[in-house]
Amino acid sequence: MARKVFVTSRPWQEAREEFLRTLRANGYLVELPAEEIDVTRALGRVTAAPVYAAISSPHYPAAAMDGIAVRAEATFTAGEGSPLELALGREAVTVDTGDPIPEGFDAVIMVEEVAFKDKGVAVIRRPAVPGQNIRPVGEDITAGELLVPAGHVLTPYDLGGMLSAGVLRVAVRPRPRVAILPTGTELVPPNPSPAPGQILESNGTMLAGQVTLWGGDPRVYPITPDDYRLLQERLLQAVAENDLVLINAGSSAGRDDYTAGLVAELGQVLTHGVATRPGKPVILGVVAGKPVIGVPGYPVSAALCAELFARPVIYYRQGLKPPRRERVRAVLGRKIYSPLGREEFVRVRLEKGGDRLVAFPTSRGAATIMALARADGIVVVPRLAEGFAAGQEVTVYLLRPLETLEGGTSSSQGQEE
């Protein structure tokens, strides 16, 4: 039976854990599917099974240098004072890098160490040793060798290695399909001349970008006005076509906020409201065994809720643990005041102050998307704290790579969510 609750004091960590536990219990995060695709299209995909080499690389003895292939034993008399002449085609064979070594030859002398005379004669002044400048079979990869394990995010180098080992197809986890449903009668497509009261729909693209960075396949649906039956129809369509649904706006308790009622009618509402600022009215539910998240309409709230609740679902759906967040220590340039009862996520800019980083809080409004775009990191104020004093050292969770920050430092640590 669906539970209709609006508990604003619930810790977000508790809500998320129940959400993930429910998804695991119904097999959504356990019975993961797989698909086979061409290796050439597999960049960034997650392997569903170990990948083994089909052939060795190289699969034949190959010249490692341009030069001449020789029988090493026949060159032992060569020296600076006693140059050795070799007949090309019989005692030596010209080879280029990557060429097969002719049968009966066991060394390659670099072209820089060879003088060529008329009538097909090569002159050398240094003996060769067996195996010199030859890549043996399997020098790089041996047939049957494990190339990458299951649950591995494929890099450009992995793709090159698999192709070199004769692997043309690879089993991967499908990218989670994520439906993004912008809702609200006041929303209009982005344009340079909106009328008073019209709001340009931008959250869909922002959320789609987040989903893409986390390995998902976002699909932004057309704007749905505040019509209960139409939204119901659109939600059912999105659930049928996707693995995860984000309903943007309509998650609060206003007259036209239908999301909680719809999810409860069609499935189960696990949480309606968490003790965070911003992002309080988030909805976590399940419809037809699939997660549905109602994210608030303000862009900063939407981004935070997607980060806290959609991000782990998307990673776990691919068989991955959410990666650790990079963090640094900094001192506050200004006091942060925060009311008791809600965990607050405060955006900050970072500046170098002597030998330390200084964090300056930016605008804290949930509607100020540019404050988020320009922020370097987030400072989290615990629910039972009233803030931090100026000059206090705090942990900053970075929104951009540390090396891109002006005056950045290398004293970062990993933090798993």
Side-chain angles (χ1 to χ4, degrees):
M1 178 181 296
R3 291 186 292 138
K4 297 181 180 180
V5 292
F6 189 76
V7 184
T8 60
S9 61
R10 189 180 196 191
W12 67 267
Q13 298 92 334
E14 175 188 303
R16 185 173 74 177
E17 182 50 42
E18 182 192 31
F19 189 42
L20 294 173
R21 187 169 58 248
T22 301
L23 295 175
R24 290 191 183 97
N26 68 20
Y28 178 87
L29 297 179
V30 179
E31 300 169 5
L32 298 174
E35 63 181 4
E36 192 174 86
I37 63 173
D38 291 342
V39 168
T40 54
R41 298 191 297 109
L43 180 64
R45 301 297 293 271
V46 181
T47 52
V51 180
Y52 298 93
I55 62 172
S56 296
S57 178
H59 60 277
Y60 59 90
M65 300 283 181
D66 297 339
I68 57 172
V70 298
R71 299 177 182 85
E73 185 178 7
T75 69
F76 290 168
T77 59
E80 288 296 332
S82 54
L84 179 64
E85 294 187 354
L86 300 171
L88 291 174
R90 182 167 53 85
E91 298 175 304
V93 176
T94 301
V95 292
D96 294 321
T97 301
D99 284 350
I101 300 300
E103 187 175 353
F105 293 79
D106 61 0
V108 171
I109 299 175
M110 292 190 299
V111 68
E112 294 88 346
E113 298 178 357
V114 180
F116 293 95
K117 294 178 63 174
D118 294 337
K119 299 180 181 179
V121 175
V123 181
I124 60 172
R125 296 178 180 274
R126 185 180 303 173
V129 297
Q132 175 178 304
N133 295 325
I134 290 179
R135 297 188 62 205
V137 172
E139 178 190 55
D140 185 18
I141 301 169
T142 303
E145 176 185 342
L146 175 66
L147 300 177
V148 291
H152 177 78
V153 180
L154 292 169
T155 69
Y157 317 111
D158 296 324
L159 304 189
M162 287 191 288
L163 293 175
S164 296
V167 178
L168 305 182
R169 303 272 290 176
V170 59
V172 296
R173 301 292 182 205
R175 292 189 186 277
R177 297 183 303 274
V178 181
I180 300 168
L181 273 58
T183 71
T185 303
E186 71 282 7
L187 290 186
V188 296
N191 70 85
S193 305
Q198 293 183 334
I199 297 176
L200 304 183
E201 202 295 290
S202 60
N203 282 354
T205 296
M206 178 190 70
L207 292 169
Q210 290 180 290
V211 168
T212 299
L213 290 176
W214 303 330
D217 176 15
R219 296 149 187 225
V220 181
Y221 282 60
I223 296 170
T224 304
D226 294 318
D227 180 292
Y228 192 88
R229 291 306 166 194
L230 183 57
L231 184 57
Q232 180 187 60
E233 179 182 319
R234 188 65 54 79
L235 175 56
L236 287 172
Q237 177 190 359
V239 169
E241 295 173 348
N242 298 275
D243 302 303
L244 165 64
V245 179
L246 303 182
I247 305 177
N248 187 212
S251 65
S252 193
R255 289 176 301 171
D256 296 325
D257 291 329
Y258 298 137
T259 302
L262 273 173
V263 175
E265 178 184 339
L266 300 175
Q268 179 183 20
V269 173
L270 299 171
T271 293
H272 187 186
V274 292
T276 64
R277 181 182 180 188
K280 176 183 71 173
V282 68
I283 296 165
L284 304 179
V286 179
V287 175
K290 297 179 181 180
V292 176
I293 303 176
V295 297
Y298 281 139
V300 178
S301 298
L304 176 64
C305 289
E307 178 85 16
L308 295 181
F309 302 108
R311 179 177 183 262
V313 172
I314 292 170
Y315 274 104
Y316 285 128
R317 181 68 177 174
Q318 297 172 85
L320 299 172
K321 290 183 65 176
R324 295 174 180 270
R325 278 288 174 195
E326 192 175 16
R327 64 180 181 174
V328 295
R329 299 289 287 176
V331 296
L332 282 175
R334 291 197 306 271
K335 177 182 178 179
I336 294 178
Y337 169 76
S338 182
L340 288 170
R342 282 191 281 170
E343 191 164 319
E344 184 168 8
F345 296 76
V346 181
R347 300 170 293 283
V348 297
R349 290 183 299 102
L350 290 174
E351 296 182 7
K352 194 70 181 284
D355 60 350
R356 62 184 183 179
L357 285 174
V358 182
F360 293 94
T362 66
S363 171
R364 293 160 76 176
T368 53
I369 184 60
M370 288 310 298
L372 181 59
R374 292 167 178 159
D376 298 316
I378 297 284
V379 171
V380 180
V381 182
R383 286 193 306 136
L384 301 181
E386 293 185 311
F388 299 121
Q392 184 172 347
E393 189 176 56
V394 294
T395 297
V396 179
Y397 296 88
L398 296 179
L399 294 172
R400 63 184 85 247
L402 184 62
E403 59 268 19
T404 67
L405 303 179
E406 186 175 350
T409 174
S410 60
S411 57
S412 62
Q413 306 173 53
Q415 171 68 24
E416 182 178 347
E417 292 191 341

